[in-house]
Amino acid sequence: MKKILVLCTGNSCRSQIAEGYLRHFAGNRAQVYSAGVETHGVNPKAIATMQEDGIDISGHTSNHVDEYRDIEFDYVITVCDNAKENCPYFPSKAERFHYNFPDPAKAQGTPEEITEEFRKVRQMIKDYSENFIQQNNI
């Protein structure tokens, strides 16, 4: 079984969404974890946006990358430039991937505009996650 780690700055939004979709698309063929270089708690808007698409991440927790030092990952995916640049090095044979998704938690505007930004980023992460699972034969 493949082990995948998704990293972001605060493990509150983008990495949580990616964890949810990677688990969905991989099924029982992978163990998926997410973590941050900091922990900010799971963003309620991320939970609500995923619920709209039928994925429940309400039980997810915000974890620090140090919690996973002893796991030998096959893949590490950074989903923001800050995490890529600031992720502490840990010895691993993991293949590394990076995609800098916009941070919907920083969206400004009306509540409807913010919700729409979350949906836009959710779709980007969904597409990336589905392609990742297919391209890596997971």
Side-chain angles (χ1 to χ4, degrees):
M1 182 177 298
K2 298 293 184 183
K3 292 185 176 88
I4 303 168
L5 176 62
V6 185
L7 289 174
C8 199
T9 302
N11 192 220
S12 67
C13 198
R14 293 168 284 184
S15 54
Q16 295 288 345
I17 292 171
E19 178 184 352
Y21 279 126
L22 288 165
R23 282 183 178 184
H24 172 75
F25 292 119
N28 61 2
R29 298 178 307 279
Q31 291 179 318
V32 183
Y33 305 80
S34 68
V37 293
E38 305 165 9
T39 57
H40 296 166
V42 182
N43 186 306
K45 286 184 175 68
I47 294 169
T49 302
M50 290 297 283
Q51 193 65 52
E52 287 179 358
D53 199 30
I55 307 285
D56 183 7
I57 63 168
S58 63
H60 286 198
T61 57
S62 184
N63 300 86
H64 193 275
V65 65
D66 288 343
E67 296 176 45
Y68 301 127
R69 285 196 181 276
D70 296 333
I71 298 175
E72 187 60 47
F73 290 101
D74 298 288
Y75 305 102
V76 174
I77 305 168
T78 49
V79 293
C80 70
D81 286 344
N82 185 54
K84 181 182 181 193
E85 294 161 10
N86 294 301
C87 181
Y89 172 79
F90 54 102
S92 172
K93 297 180 291 197
E95 194 172 349
R96 296 178 188 270
F97 295 84
H98 175 70
Y99 193 99
N100 186 42
F101 292 100
D103 187 354
K106 292 185 178 174
Q108 296 182 345
T110 66
E112 294 80 18
E113 290 169 332
I114 293 169
T115 297
E116 204 46 50
E117 181 66 13
F118 268 86
R119 289 176 179 148
K120 183 180 96 178
V121 173
R122 177 191 68 195
Q123 188 62 48
M124 293 170 70
I125 295 173
K126 181 179 184 177
D127 293 344
Y128 178 90
S129 298
E130 185 173 22
N131 289 334
F132 181 88
I133 295 300
Q134 288 175 355
Q135 290 172 357
N136 290 285
N137 298 313
I138 298 172

